[in-house]
Amino acid sequence: MNMSADNSNRDKNSPFITLTGRLVLRTFGKHSKSEHLGVFLVTDQGDYLIRPSGANPFMPNPLMPLAGKTIVATGCIEDYVFLAQTWKEEE
């Protein structure tokens, strides 16, 4: 899989990085109006709310079926969310 990224149209403050971690489901925004079940990427560097780049944040996360699996994902971090450009299950 080609992991290179086109750098021409992205924000220079959000460099692409590759993270390896396990996907877990956790409550996000507990006791707030935005409380929902979120998909988190748990890595050695920290835990990140993760969703595919360009995915609607108000729709079910397409990564939910991979919960419990370890993935390698490339994307960028914006605020507290890891926006995945590409991902694959680790062998």
Side-chain angles (χ1 to χ4, degrees):
M1 176 187 288
N2 182 356
M3 296 298 248
S4 66
D6 174 16
N7 295 332
S8 61
N9 63 356
R10 68 181 177 83
D11 181 358
K12 297 290 181 242
N13 296 328
S14 300
F16 281 84
I17 58 172
T18 299
L19 294 173
T20 301
R22 201 162 66 86
L23 292 177
V24 297
L25 301 179
R26 272 191 207 144
T27 301
F28 172 80
K30 218 173 211 124
H31 309 300
S32 77
K33 288 182 182 173
S34 60
E35 180 175 322
H36 67 280
L37 191 61
V39 181
F40 285 81
L41 181 65
V42 177
T43 74
D44 292 339
Q45 292 84 12
D47 298 0
Y48 302 93
L49 190 63
I50 184 173
R51 74 171 176 265
S53 179
N56 184 335
F58 301 104
M59 297 300 286
N61 190 322
L63 294 170
M64 257 187 196
L66 294 175
K69 299 190 184 296
T70 298
I71 66 164
V72 178
T74 299
C76 59
I77 296 170
E78 287 187 13
D79 298 324
Y80 49 84
V81 181
F82 184 77
L83 298 172
Q85 293 285 333
T86 62
W87 61 90
K88 64 179 179 166
E89 208 175 316
E90 195 173 53
E91 301 303 318

